[in-house]
Amino acid sequence: MTGPMMWFRQDLRLADNAALIAAVADGAVVPVYILDDISPGAHAIGGAQRWWLHHSLQALAAELADRGATLTLRRGAALREIPKLVGETDASAVLWNRRYGGAARDIDTQLKSSLRDEGLHVQSYQAGLLNEPWTVQTADGRPFRVFTPFWKASLAKGEPRHPFPAPATIDGAEAPASDDLDDWALLPIRADWADGLRESWEPGEKAALKQLDDFVHGNLELYQAHRDEPAIDATSRLSPRLRWGEVSPYQVWHAANHASVPPAQAKNAAAFLREIGWREFNYNILFHFPDLATKNFRPSFDAFPWEPPQKRELEAWQQGKTGIPLVDAGMRELWHTGVMHNRMRMVTASFLIKNLLTDWRIGEAWFWDTLVDADDANNPANWQWVAGSGADAAPYFRIFNPRLQAEKFDKAGEYQRRWIPELGTDEYPEPIVDLKASRNEALDAYEAVKRSGG
Ligand code: FAD
């Protein structure tokens, strides 16, 4: 008899997967993944994410096969595909780990009620956040809008539960017909892009766990002192792993704290976990403000007089040819590796928003397409943070000066030279804007926001 269907979404792992563990305990499992970019409100994933997804699904399918189960792939609207698969397999239940975006939650809620009406057991689990957004609230029961009290309240909830081990074997149900992953054509047509991503990453749970282990026993000790220096390998690079759920925040939490037993490491672990806290905070904001990617969190920014994007300037920014070395280095790192160092994300976003007066949504869309870690919470929340329109955001008038940032965080110029081999030659372009004049224009434009309530 067929047991439960395990619907994988942003949790492409076998270890510490609450829904999977429940499914395995409940009978012969049907593991499925649905590529849904057609449901209303679905935010179709960008090019770099598609590359990641292709390889991560391959890895997940191999891990499942090793333990006795077959991953079934389907493309289409989840509200149609899941009931169809239930019909084909005669599954007794449908289990999944929760998602937090508005459209995703609508789908899940509708499915839950329609499948339950059909007499199926449907259960969702907590696996992607240390605390569910509705459980961390201010004293008067409202969502936090400021990070520090949010993180303090999260920490006050006590140590997160320990991670669950991966099931050693899985009783796999007879698998229904599956799409062929290659037919989804997720890989980029531009070979140079795929080459850069391949050089930089090995998607999948096994590589993710090794990366976590290497980091907590290695570069974590550099974290607090050097996390802002893009030339130094001092951060975890776990963001795509967390975005796709190849590791869980519980695994990250306990690995970091376990490694922090020597007192000297404790401060590094705390600084690192604080960033995991920002991830939690951004998901919390997304949960309470589902239009995060399209609307200003602070409505006073609706009055901002953005300039219509100039094709030439926008392309120079996208291609790392603005003539401002730190900005160009960051944008080239992004194109080549699918990620960019956090400080560089702040510098390049500030340059687009403030020196080129371009609406943050245009930059968000480029990052969405080119980041392997782009997610519905962290990408828009951080863009709004830089713009000044977000929750607990940097004030608009704090305009990063890329030259000063370079002096401070890339003193020897190593990062800039790494990504711009032609630096210092005639081939490198002149700056496309005057930093000082454009800064003053940005401050003038901000007056419109101040007038409408700041
Ligand atoms: P570490 O310093 O090792 O941090 C550990 C983990 O904490 C990260 O993997 C990530 O999950 C989380 N984290 C770290 N910094 C932040 C932050 N500022 N906000 C939220 N979570 C954080 N991060 C994404 O995961 N996806 C995005 O789409 C994304 N877009 C961004 C856009 C802009 C404009 C900016 C300024 C930042 C963005 N970030 C995004 C946040 C941050 O830059 C990356 O998470 C970080 O650079 C990833 O590197 P790491 O894994 O080595 O980080």
Side-chain angles (χ1 to χ4, degrees), residues 267-280:
K267 63 179 191 336
N268 286 311
F272 168 64
L273 292 174
R274 191 178 159 85
E275 297 308 312
I276 299 291
W278 271 99
R279 175 179 179 274
E280 299 265 322

Side-chain angles (χ1 to χ4, degrees), residues 215 223 227 235-240 242 272 275-276 278-279 282 340-342 345-346 349 367 371 373-375 378-379 382-383 386:
F215 173 67
Y223 194 82
R227 60 178 291 260
T235 69
S236 71
R237 295 172 65 86
L238 284 168
S239 50
L242 284 158
F272 168 64
E275 297 308 312
I276 299 291
W278 271 99
R279 175 179 179 274
N282 291 339
M340 193 201 295
H341 188 277
N342 180 57
R345 295 190 202 205
M346 294 195 283
F367 272 31
L371 279 173
D373 66 20
D375 79 39
N378 285 341
N379 199 37
N382 274 291
W383 273 93
V386 177

